[in-house]
Structures are given as C-alpha cells and as structure tokens.
Amino acid sequence: MRYKLSKIIFYIVFCISIFSIVVIEVFDVSYEYSLYQDNSIRLEKEFVKKQKQNLKLEVQRAIALIEYNYNKKEKVISENVKERTYEAYSLAKSLYEKYKDTKTKEEILELIKNSLRNIRFYDGYGYYSIYSYDGKTIMHGINKEYENNYKLKEYKDLNGKKILDTIINVAKKKNEGYVNWRFLDPINKKEDRKTGYLKVFEPYNLIIVAADYISRIEKELKKEALDRIRKITYANDGYIFIFDLKGNILAHKYSKYEGKQLSLIKNSKEKQVIESLMNALGSKDETFLTYSWNRPNSIDFTDKLTYIKKFEKWGWIIGTGAYLDTMHKLLEKEKQTLQEKTFYRLFYSLCIFIFLLVFIYFTFRKISKEMDKSFSVFIDFFKRANITNEKIQTKNIKFYEFKELAIYANKMIELKLQNEHELESKNKEVLINLSLLNEYKKAVDASAIVSKTDEFGVITFANDKFCNISGFTKEELIGSKHNLVRHPDTKKEVYKDLWETILNKRVWKGVLKNKTKKGKTYYVKSTIVPILDMDSNIKEFIAIRYDISDLINQEKRIKLQTTDILTNLPNRQKLLEDLELKDCLILSVFNILRFKEVNEYYGFEVGDKLLLSVAQKLRSLLKNNNLFLYKLQGDEFAILVNKNIITLKEFKIQCENIIHSIKQIKFEIEENILEVNLVAGISAEKNYFINAEMAKNHAKIENKDIIIFDENREIKSNLIENINWTQKLKKALNEDRIVIFIQAIISNETQKVEKYECLVRMIDEDGTIISPFKFLNVAKKSKLYNELTQKVIKKAFDYFANKDVEFSINLSLEDILHKPTIEFLKEKLEENRNAAQRLIVEIVEEEGIENYQEICDFIEKLKSYGCKIAIDDFGTGYSNFEYLMKLNVDIVKIDGSMIKYINQDLNAKIVTELIVTFAKKLNIKTVAEFVHSQEIHEIVTDMGIDFSQGFYLGVPKPIE
C-alpha cells in the first residue's frame, strides 16, 4: 500500500503539534505548581528571617543597656569613695577651723576621731580610717584596738602587698589619690578588689581614707539593669527575659517566673523549656531555638521562636521570643491567594490549548491540498527531463520553497546544456596541464634532493641529487629505508615527531643531520608531504630537501669564538678546548671576592675597568710563557700549566704569590682607590675545571686563600652527598613521603596529655624513617625549605582540624619572613577557624632576631585568630630574656640541653629556675623538653614547670 507524502506530512505535523501543546501544557502546570510551592517556602523563610532580625535587635539593645551598667562600675566606685573622703575631710577641716585657737592639737584630733569613728555607709560596711606618715593608725572606724599603734603597718592584702605602704606612698607623692588592694569581701566571703580614696589632712599631716568593694557596686548596677530590663516591651506582647548560667530566672515581664531556681521548678513544661534553652546554647555565644509555649492569659500552646545570647561578664543569658501562629495565619492567607492565581492561569492556558488545536487542524489540511498540487507539477517535470529539456512554469506554484526548487530545476536544465558544451574544452586543458606538470617536476628534480616512499617508509624513488650527496646508487636506495643516511647524533625524538606529524596527514618541516655512505656528515632542510588518494588515505610520502651544510658549518665557526672581548684574553670556551686536547695539566681558577659590590656601588663601567686592570697585572706577573692565562665568566680568571713544566707544590706557591701581590696593589679607577682580594681553587686531576671550581667554592666557605682539590677529597664527597640528599628530598616531596609525627606534651599538674607537637619526618623508599637532622640543612640550601614547611602546615591542619586538642608546629625566622609561607598559613587558619583556636606556633631561632617589628606583627596577626605563641629551645643559643619582654608569647620551651642534665649540673638547674621564675612573673607557661627519666620528670615538676615532653613520657608517633 502506498501513501501520499502530503497526507503523511499533514498527519505528522498535526500529531507533533498536539503532542507539543500537551507537553507545553503539562510543563506549564508543573511550573505553576512548583512556583506555588517555592513561593510558599519563600514566604515562610522571609517571615522567619525577619523575625530573627527583630529578636536579635531587641536582645542587642538590652545587652547594650547591661554593657553600659557594667562599664560604669569603675566610675561609680571612684566617685563614691572620693565623695566620702571629701566629706570626712570637710568635717575634719571645719572642726579644726572652729577650735584651732581655743583647743590643743590632741583635743581637736580627738573631736575629729569621735566625729568620724561611728559614721557608717555602703550598707554598713563602709567606714573611715586615719593614718600618719610613719604608718601609725590614728583612728580606725570598726576596730579601736588598731588605734595609736603600728599593728597595721606590716599588714598585707591577699596578694602579699603592704596596704599601708601603698597609701603612704600615694599620700607623699600626690597628697590625694586612689589606691587598690585585694581583700575578703565580708558579704560574699570571697576575695575581691577594694578601691579607696585618700586625702592628706594638711594641718596635722594625717591621711584620711574611705574605701568600698567593687562587688558591692556591681551588685547595685546589676539590680538597676534588671529593673530596667523588666520594663522593656515591644510590638504587641514582646518582652526580654534573663536567667543565669545555672538556669535561675533573674528578670521576666511576668513576675511569677522570677526568682525561680531550675532545680526547684515544679512545672515540668517550664523546666523543660529552660533546660532546652541552656542546652541549645551550650558552648556557643548565641543561638535561635523554636519550642512550644502558651501565650499570656491563654492555655493553648503554639510554636515560639526565641533568640538567646550570653553576657559572659556577668554570667547572664539574655533572650526574647515571638509566637509563630501569626506567621501561620499569614502564610495560609498568602497560599490561598496563590492557589486562586494558579487556577486562573491554568484555565486560560486550557482555553488557548483548545483554540490552537482547532486552528492547526484546519490550517494544515488546507496546506496539505496545496502541497499535492505542487508535487504533481514536479512529478511531471522529472518524467519529461530524460526526454526533453522543457522547463517548469513557476507562475502556478504558490509555496516559496517549491517555487525556488522549480527555479533551480530550470537552472539544472540550463547547466546540463552548458556542461555538455564545456566538457570538450576541458579535455583539451587536461592534456596541456599534464605537460606543464612534467616540466615542474623536471625543475624541482634539478634543484632539490627528492625522494618518495610508500606508506611504510620504503624508498620508491630517488633523484640524482639524492644519489650524489649520499654516495648511494639508486639501486641501493630504492627498496631501503632512510635509515641508510640517518646520523647517529640525531635524537630518536626528532624521528618520532616526524612520523607522528606525517601520519596525521600534515606536512613536516625541519633540519636533519645525515651521513653519506662513507660516513661524512651533511645537513638538509627537509619538507615531507603526505600524498592522499581520493578517499583521503595516505598513498605515499614525498620528501624535498636542500643541502645547508655550508650554513651549519659557518654557524659552528661563529659559536667557537674563543677570545674575551673586554680583556682580549682567551675565554672559557678556549680553556675548555685546551683541556679537551691536552693531558697532565694543573688548573687554578681565581675569583675576585665581593666584586658584585663594586658593580653595585660604583657601576658596571668601573667594574669593567677594574677587571681590565687586574687582567693586565696578572699578565705582568706571569713571566713564564708556559703559564697560560684565561678570562672566564664574570669576575673569574684561570691559569693552566703542564705538569711536566712545574710541580703541583711549585704551582701552588706561585698562585699564593699572585694572590698576595694583587692584595698589595691599590687599583685607581676613575679617582676611586679599590682593593682586590682573590681566592683560588687548584685541580691536578681529570675534570680539571669542575674540580677547581669545587675547590675554589670550598676555599670561600673555609675562608682560605687557596685550596687544592687533591688535598681535600671530602669536598667532592660532601657535594655528592648534598646532591643525593637534595634528590631524595625532591622525590619525597613529589611522592608525598614527607610526613608528620606527633609527640605528647603532658601537664605536670594533671599528668594528662594536653597538647601535641608536630615533628617532620621523611619516609625513605625502603620505608626507613629519616630524621630532619639529615635533610633540613639540605632543604635550606636547595630552596626546598619553604615547600617543606608548607607541607607540614597542611598535614598538621588536615589531622587536627576536627580534633579537640591543642597542637603545635615549628616555624623558623626564615619561614616567618617568607610571605608565601605565611599567606599559606593564614589560608589554613581562615579555612579552619576552630583549629586556629588550638594552634601553637613554636618560633625556632637559628640566629638573633633583627626584624622585631615584623616578628611582632606576625605574632599579633596570629593571636587575632586565637593562636598561641611559644619560644622553642629557650635558654641556649640566641634566646634571652629580652625576647620574653619584647615578644608577646604565651609559652617558653626550655631547651633539652639543660633539662637532660639538670640532675647533675647545678648551673643548668640554677638557670632553669631563673627562667621559670621570670616566666611566672610574666604569666608565661613553661615546657621542659628532653624529659628522659622519672627522676628528671620529678625534678621539673617540683620546680613548678607547667608541662613536660620527652621519651620518658611518650615517643614521637606517626599520625594515622
């Protein structure tokens, strides 16, 4: 059965249209429903967010009020005691003025004492006292047995401070002023600060004093703050409540809740709410909590959102809340509105859907009929196209596409006629082009080296020039590969790149070094082109080459210039050639010390003139023509001689004479007097240049004028060992074999582990654990030290980030002054804010601190994250007590060299005790390192050292 294309198109388009409209409608319904759900969630979130902001704002206002009362306690106590003292002074002054002319001093003083003795203030605990400058108590408000004697002169407060000495010193210096001491509060029976104000009564040089306890003032301010908080209301039913850290309610809008202790609350619901508030806060400073509670004057419970925040200074928890039933009503109203809007949108969409369905049906039915007519026109045209060249009449075709198709069909007829005419002329042109192509082939063949190979690289054609330059005949070349002319110096990578390029159907260009049949070298500039067949498959390769041997040889000659331009002496290249050609030699390499400073200070022009002067002087000193002088790179010279002419010992003496002679000369360069000091290295063994360079560098290190490589064979072994360790360290870093071990630090008070120190280790390829003493110095010399430090920082944070224990890492001054390392540390602190609170940075000193400001800035920055700072290995090396005063440190780690012999070395014990005493006065914790036995541990514990670390307490262990 056959079907008309127009009807098939109609039914397909109609079905696709219906399906598309249905899919759009389904998506529209789904979108509307999703939008409705999203809007509901958004409304709820926005309401809760706004409520949280309002609650937080109200609590912050209340805390601001409490903070104000807290901050004014010092002002209040200062004003109160000063006012009381001035009242007593005024009373004494008035009595003095009244009776000074009629009574004796003793009588007036007795009147003053009797007037002040019985005065009480500050809830009955405040009183006056009077003292003389020599420490005698003249009057005491609560205890007469102290009067007219010196019993209180040696009296000390709870900190061991002599109270009366302090009062007398202030009186002598200022005549009046404030004094502070620590005393037992008679109300709370706790140690408290007491603030007093004194004023000298000038007529008799007596000191009048009044004082008060800070806790009493604080109690009054707390009461005042609570009274004001109770009165705070906002919105319709908002209020502030306060309870302490034990759950006791201190302030509430409804007085029935106040004064309740958590343990005595009988209402289980009330008790549960208070416990949930305290548990939710936990160790946090603030939090939000939702729970069920009844509105005032109602028994119905509803959800309530509450915000609470700690006020640490008084141990209070301040909070407020809002009922969420209002939000639920609002949300229900908004949801109803959204439902109505969604229904109307869906109804309108359905109406449009039905309209479109009807419209599409009738539209496509009409189009289908018109398409039938157009197809009939084209069917008739193709039936006649093979017989006649008749064209289609386009005026009766309605569709644009069919009309365009008809135009192109007519053009096809026209093109058919034109092609038949042109075919004959094209055949003639092909014959002419084949003739020209042969001529081009002759031209290339005459000027270039040409060869062809099959797809496997087997030579199928070689022209005469290829045979002439290579020395092979065509018979030898054809059937072989280009390996015949491949030079062994050409690297395999070149041919690998060549084959990858041409096998990917791309042209390869480059210079190749080849050899002739007789082994002579020649160079060719090559272009290799893949030839493709009609299916774009590689059929063969053609190579066109040009001989550039003359250019390459000329370039080599240019590179082999062997004279130094400045001094006209043979240069380093010439020296290397001479070393290559000759045997039994002695070579010395000289270096001008600190020549870089001449260039930096006087300029390169003066530096060049100095080099020229030194070269001229060396020429004059080398009178023996068998000693050859060379100018090497920069500030270096070399002297070469044959062993048959001079012995090694004689040559060394001559070099020493040269160094001495140059040292005695004052070189005058552009009115500048310059001195030159030389250092030299000598080698009489193969690899002369390298060995002499090593000897020269070793002479610099050992601060010697000259060193012979033969006399110092450890130079080479040290260098080789350093190179081996550098390679080991690089490989360990790349393969992540740098690990950290942790060693426990024990509290001497609790005998429990309180922190760990992170120690770097290298795991060798055979699994051996390598101490940092083997590779740390090598890391610094090979510029791997900072990468090593950053590796330790990363691994320490990865391990301790989620562990609730303090940990320490070691940083040297070089680390602290290396900005990328410190930036890396800051990134880790930002990423791990909790871990930052537990990090201890141990500053390791290898040299004295010069950049104090940078170190201090670094310490303050770390402390802003909550980190602690420790000084490592204190007591030896560059450590001194000045560091503890200049740097804001928290911990001092006493060096193990003193701790491990503290049971035998009296000096070590005395110094350790001095450090501990000094640290305690500065409130700095101390750690004893290298605690290797029970005896040592007991000694450091008895000395008052806070923490211990060592193999007796725990060996370093790898992290899991």
Side-chain angles (χ1 to χ4, degrees):
M1 181 179 285
R2 297 179 180 179
Y3 299 96
K4 281 190 175 182
L5 180 62
S6 58
K7 286 189 176 181
I8 292 172
I9 293 172
F10 167 75
Y11 286 122
I12 290 173
V13 171
F14 183 73
C15 292
I16 290 173
S17 300
I18 294 173
F19 177 77
S20 300
I21 292 171
V22 171
V23 169
I24 291 169
E25 188 65 20
V26 170
F27 274 108
D28 185 49
V29 171
S30 300
Y31 173 75
E32 292 294 340
Y33 180 72
S34 175
L35 191 64
Y36 164 74
Q37 287 186 318
D38 290 345
N39 286 336
S40 299
I41 294 169
R42 178 181 55 79
L43 284 171
E44 186 171 351
K45 285 182 177 179
E46 286 178 356
F47 184 88
V48 172
K49 182 180 179 182
K50 188 175 180 181
Q51 284 291 352
K52 285 185 175 181
Q53 289 173 344
N54 292 340
L55 296 177
K56 199 168 186 178
L57 181 62
E58 293 299 333
V59 170
Q60 286 172 346
R61 287 175 178 169
I63 288 176
L65 185 151
I66 296 167
E67 185 77 40
Y68 171 77
N69 271 31
Y70 177 83
N71 290 334
K72 73 177 185 179
K73 63 183 180 182
E74 294 294 338
K75 182 180 177 183
V76 171
I77 192 169
S78 299
E79 289 176 351
N80 284 357
V81 295
K82 185 174 181 179
E83 182 181 352
R84 289 296 181 184
T85 302
Y86 267 81
E87 287 175 1
Y89 177 84
S90 298
L91 178 60
K93 189 74 172 178
S94 62
L95 289 171
Y96 172 75
E97 293 295 337
K98 183 175 181 180
Y99 297 109
K100 67 180 178 179
D101 297 325
T102 59
K103 292 183 183 291
T104 65
K105 174 183 176 181
E106 288 73 17
E107 290 174 331
I108 295 172
L109 188 58
E110 195 63 31
L111 285 172
I112 293 171
K113 288 162 59 177
N114 292 333
S115 300
L116 297 177
R117 181 180 288 109
N118 296 320
I119 295 176
R120 295 288 182 272
F121 44 88
Y122 304 150
D123 301 329
Y125 291 98
Y127 59 88
Y128 292 114
S129 55
I130 302 173
Y131 307 98
S132 66
Y133 276 116
D134 61 355
K136 184 178 181 181
T137 305
I138 305 303
M139 188 275 290
H140 196 278
I142 60 171
N143 199 334
K144 287 189 69 175
E145 72 174 79
Y146 294 138
E147 292 184 2
N148 298 316
N149 59 54
Y150 296 92
K151 290 182 178 180
L152 294 179
K153 184 174 182 180
E154 298 299 321
Y155 193 81
K156 298 178 182 178
D157 73 352
L158 295 173
N159 283 340
K161 181 170 70 175
K162 291 183 179 180
I163 301 171
L164 207 50
D165 284 355
T166 305
I167 292 171
I168 293 168
N169 287 336
V170 173
K172 287 179 178 179
K173 291 178 181 179
K174 301 181 180 179
N175 210 41
E176 63 178 287
Y178 293 99
V179 287
N180 293 298
W181 62 88
R182 308 239 8 128
F183 217 70
L184 193 67
D185 181 355
I187 303 173
N188 299 321
K189 304 301 181 183
K190 294 181 180 178
E191 181 186 345
D192 192 17
R193 177 166 66 84
K194 193 171 185 180
T195 297
Y197 191 83
L198 64 92
K199 184 170 177 61
V200 176
F201 184 63
E202 296 89 348
Y204 298 144
N205 279 336
L206 298 176
I207 306 165
I208 301 174
V209 182
D212 196 7
Y213 290 95
I214 192 74
S215 58
R216 195 195 67 78
I217 296 296
E218 202 169 52
K219 183 179 179 182
E220 290 183 355
L221 292 172
K222 284 181 180 179
K223 184 176 181 300
E224 178 186 324
L226 291 172
D227 289 341
R228 294 175 68 180
I229 293 295
R230 292 185 187 98
K231 298 174 183 177
I232 294 176
T233 57
Y234 62 93
N236 294 328
D237 52 3
Y239 59 90
I240 305 293
F241 61 84
I242 299 175
F243 58 90
D244 61 21
L245 297 177
K246 296 179 179 179
N248 302 322
I249 302 172
L250 305 178
H252 200 283
K253 180 181 177 181
Y254 302 101
S255 57
K256 66 180 181 178
Y257 296 114
E258 282 191 9
K260 289 186 176 182
Q261 295 183 8
L262 180 62
S263 59
L264 301 178
I265 294 176
K266 295 181 179 179
N267 188 315
S268 60
K269 185 67 176 178
E270 290 180 20
K271 190 170 185 177
Q272 181 185 352
V273 168
I274 294 175
E275 287 176 343
S276 65
L277 287 171
M278 295 183 70
N279 292 336
L281 196 59
S283 61
K284 294 183 285 187
D285 186 54
E286 59 182 340
T287 191
F288 285 95
L289 181 68
T290 303
Y291 55 88
S292 180
W293 193 248
N294 61 307
R295 279 184 174 276
N297 304 319
S298 172
I299 60 172
D300 296 328
F301 282 83
T302 184
D303 288 342
K304 186 174 184 179
L305 175 66
T306 295
Y307 171 72
I308 53 175
K309 182 176 175 65
K310 284 183 184 178
F311 184 71
E312 295 282 1
K313 295 173 182 176
W314 279 350
W316 288 0
I317 299 172
I318 298 94
T320 187
Y323 293 97
L324 298 179
D325 54 352
T326 305
M327 179 188 77
H328 296 147
K329 291 176 183 177
L330 177 64
L331 287 175
E332 287 300 321
K333 186 176 179 181
E334 290 291 336
K335 287 179 181 178
Q336 184 64 37
T337 305
L338 284 172
Q339 285 176 349
E340 292 174 2
K341 287 181 180 179
T342 303
F343 173 80
Y344 285 123
R345 280 199 293 269
L346 291 175
F347 175 76
Y348 293 142
S349 297
L350 186 61
C351 292
I352 293 170
F353 166 72
I354 294 169
F355 172 76
L356 287 174
L357 198 60
V358 173
F359 175 80
I360 288 169
Y361 176 81
F362 287 106
T363 300
F364 275 98
R365 187 168 183 180
K366 181 171 175 39
I367 291 170
S368 176
K369 290 180 180 179
E370 292 296 333
M371 286 177 68
D372 274 346
K373 293 179 183 178
S374 298
F375 280 128
S376 297
V377 171
F378 278 95
I379 289 169
D380 292 340
F381 166 77
F382 285 111
K383 282 179 180 179
R384 297 192 305 270
N386 291 330
I387 303 169
T388 68
N389 291 323
E390 186 180 347
K391 297 181 181 179
I392 299 173
Q393 298 298 319
T394 58
K395 62 181 180 181
N396 296 325
I397 297 175
K398 293 184 178 180
F399 292 107
Y400 172 81
E401 288 79 3
F402 285 113
K403 197 167 189 176
E404 285 291 308
L405 189 61
I407 291 170
Y408 282 108
N410 292 338
K411 285 183 179 180
M412 182 183 71
I413 297 297
E414 293 172 358
L415 189 62
K416 176 186 173 186
L417 296 171
Q418 184 180 351
N419 288 341
E420 288 172 354
H421 176 73
E422 290 178 352
L423 184 60
E424 186 177 352
S425 61
K426 288 288 183 182
N427 287 334
K428 293 179 182 179
E429 286 182 13
V430 169
L431 293 174
I432 294 169
N433 288 337
L434 283 172
S435 177
L436 288 173
L437 188 61
N438 285 329
E439 294 300 316
Y440 293 148
K441 180 178 176 297
K442 289 178 184 178
V444 173
D445 202 29
S447 61
I449 303 165
V450 181
S451 65
K452 290 196 295 183
T453 71
D454 61 17
E455 64 268 34
F456 304 108
V458 177
I459 299 172
T460 58
F461 169 80
N463 69 350
D464 293 338
K465 285 189 75 70
F466 191 5
C467 296
N468 293 338
I469 196 168
S470 67
F472 291 99
T473 64
K474 286 188 179 181
E475 290 74 16
E476 290 173 318
L477 290 171
I478 294 173
S480 301
K481 294 189 176 182
H482 281 89
N483 289 346
L484 279 176
V485 295
R486 176 178 174 178
H487 198 285
D489 289 350
T490 306
K491 295 181 179 178
K492 291 181 181 179
E493 289 77 7
V494 174
Y495 288 100
K496 183 181 179 183
D497 175 64
L498 185 155
W499 277 103
E500 284 180 357
T501 302
I502 62 178
L503 289 175
N504 283 318
K505 304 174 185 178
R506 292 184 283 116
V507 176
W508 184 88
K509 293 182 179 181
V511 174
L512 293 173
K513 184 177 181 180
N514 290 341
K515 65 175 182 177
T516 65
K517 187 175 181 180
K518 294 181 179 181
K520 184 181 177 183
T521 299
Y522 69 96
Y523 295 88
V524 288
K525 183 179 180 182
S526 304
T527 302
I528 303 175
V529 182
I531 306 299
L532 308 180
D533 60 16
M534 296 296 290
D535 297 324
S536 294
N537 295 319
I538 296 173
K539 185 177 181 182
E540 60 183 356
F541 300 103
I542 184 167
I544 301 172
R545 309 177 187 86
Y546 296 94
D547 183 10
I548 59 168
S549 300
D550 291 340
L551 291 174
I552 296 294
N553 292 330
Q554 184 180 356
E555 183 181 350
K556 283 185 175 181
R557 285 194 295 273
I558 291 170
K559 287 182 179 178
L560 292 174
Q561 293 294 327
T562 56
T563 303
D564 180 65
I565 298 172
L566 177 66
T567 62
N568 207 29
L569 288 170
N571 63 8
R572 183 177 183 273
Q573 182 63 37
K574 176 61 175 169
L575 173 63
L576 293 176
E577 287 181 8
D578 291 346
L579 291 171
E580 189 77 25
L581 297 172
K582 300 173 186 177
D583 289 321
C584 298
L585 302 172
I586 307 174
L587 175 68
S588 64
V589 175
F590 294 84
N591 176 258
I592 300 175
L593 295 174
R594 297 184 298 280
F595 181 73
K596 182 182 175 186
E597 296 174 12
V598 175
N599 279 334
E600 291 176 349
Y601 187 76
Y602 297 102
F604 289 101
E605 187 175 347
V606 172
D608 288 346
K609 289 181 179 180
L610 178 61
L611 287 174
L612 188 57
S613 298
V614 172
Q616 291 169 352
K617 188 61 184 175
L618 288 172
R619 270 200 193 99
S620 66
L621 290 170
L622 297 178
K623 296 174 182 177
N624 189 336
N625 291 329
N626 292 314
L627 295 175
F628 297 97
L629 178 64
Y630 300 83
K631 169 65 176 68
L632 307 183
Q633 68 277 6
D635 56 355
E636 292 195 343
F637 294 86
I639 298 173
L640 184 65
V641 67
N642 196 291
K643 286 182 181 178
N644 299 325
I645 296 169
I646 189 171
T647 66
L648 180 60
K649 184 176 180 181
E650 291 170 340
F651 183 68
K652 180 183 178 185
I653 293 169
Q654 190 155 355
C655 290
E656 287 173 343
N657 292 336
I658 290 171
I659 292 171
H660 180 72
S661 299
I662 294 293
K663 191 173 185 180
Q664 302 305 313
I665 299 170
K666 306 293 184 184
F667 291 92
E668 186 173 346
I669 310 293
E670 293 186 359
E671 299 181 355
N672 298 303
I673 304 300
L674 302 175
E675 295 181 357
V676 173
N677 291 309
L678 298 177
V679 64
I682 299 175
S683 173
E685 294 186 0
K686 275 289 186 182
N687 295 323
Y688 301 101
F689 188 65
I690 294 172
N691 293 341
E693 279 283 336
M694 283 194 290
K696 177 204 68 180
N697 292 334
H698 209 69
K700 282 185 178 180
I701 294 169
E702 295 191 4
N703 199 23
K704 292 183 178 180
D705 287 342
I706 193 164
I707 284 182
I708 298 176
F709 180 79
D710 308 279
E711 297 174 353
N712 295 272
R713 291 190 178 274
E714 73 274 6
I715 297 173
K716 192 170 184 178
S717 62
N718 289 343
L719 179 65
I720 292 169
E721 186 178 4
N722 285 341
I723 291 170
N724 289 338
W725 275 110
T726 301
Q727 291 172 345
K728 270 190 175 185
L729 181 57
K730 280 184 179 178
K731 195 171 183 184
L733 284 166
N734 292 334
E735 295 176 359
D736 197 27
R737 286 189 284 103
I738 298 299
V739 300
I740 60 171
F741 278 43
I742 56 174
Q743 187 174 27
I745 300 175
I746 310 295
S747 168
N748 288 338
E749 182 180 351
T750 64
Q751 298 301 312
K752 293 181 180 179
V753 176
E754 291 207 0
K755 54 197 78 171
Y756 292 93
E757 180 179 0
C758 298
L759 304 168
V760 66
R761 297 288 188 270
M762 182 199 295
I763 305 298
D764 209 348
E765 290 179 301
D766 62 359
T768 305
I769 298 167
I770 301 173
S771 166
F773 297 110
K774 290 280 189 181
F775 58 83
L776 212 54
N777 286 332
V778 172
K780 292 180 179 178
K781 290 177 183 177
S782 57
K783 298 183 179 178
L784 297 171
Y785 181 68
N786 300 121
E787 183 181 353
L788 191 65
T789 301
Q790 292 178 27
K791 182 78 75 173
V792 172
I793 292 171
K794 179 183 182 302
K795 295 206 170 190
F797 273 96
D798 289 348
Y799 181 72
F800 284 102
N802 298 314
K803 290 181 170 51
D804 189 19
V805 66
E806 289 185 332
F807 64 103
S808 68
I809 58 174
N810 292 281
L811 292 185
S812 67
L813 300 181
E814 180 181 339
D815 291 321
I816 295 170
L817 299 176
H818 186 250
K819 291 185 179 178
T821 297
I822 299 310
E823 288 302 318
F824 181 77
L825 176 58
K826 289 178 183 177
E827 287 176 16
K828 288 296 175 185
L829 291 171
E830 291 287 351
E831 293 170 7
N832 304 275
R833 281 283 183 174
N834 290 332
Q837 307 284 333
R838 296 180 276 104
L839 174 63
I840 302 168
V841 174
E842 297 187 16
I843 298 177
V844 182
E845 308 158 81
E846 295 177 349
E847 56 186 29
I849 297 176
E850 293 179 359
N851 304 325
Y852 266 107
Q853 190 54 50
E854 289 186 53
I855 305 303
C856 289
D857 292 344
F858 165 76
I859 289 173
E860 292 308 316
K861 183 64 180 175
L862 257 61
K863 289 210 165 193
S864 69
Y865 288 100
C867 305
K868 293 180 182 177
I869 304 297
I871 295 290
D872 198 16
D873 300 334
F874 190 83
T876 62
Y878 295 94
S879 300
N880 58 60
F881 291 104
E882 185 183 8
Y883 286 0
L884 300 187
M885 293 186 286
K886 284 188 176 182
L887 304 178
N888 182 18
V889 301
D890 304 286
I891 300 168
V892 165
K893 299 191 78 176
I894 303 170
D895 188 68
S897 63
M898 292 194 297
I899 298 298
K900 63 184 177 181
Y901 298 121
I902 201 168
N903 59 336
Q904 304 170 17
D905 189 340
L906 182 59
N907 290 333
K909 188 172 184 180
I910 291 170
V911 172
T912 303
E913 288 174 341
L914 180 62
I915 293 170
V916 173
T917 303
F918 193 81
K920 285 188 181 298
K921 287 187 179 293
L922 294 178
N923 199 26
I924 296 173
K925 299 294 183 183
T926 49
V927 179
E929 298 183 300
F930 282 78
V931 176
H932 59 85
S933 67
Q934 182 179 351
E935 182 186 1
I936 298 295
H937 188 216
E938 290 173 355
I939 291 172
V940 298
T941 302
D942 293 340
M943 290 175 71
I945 295 176
D946 301 295
F947 301 95
S948 292
Q949 178 182 358
F951 275 48
Y952 171 70
L953 301 167
V955 298
K957 296 178 181 178
I959 60 173
E960 297 177 1

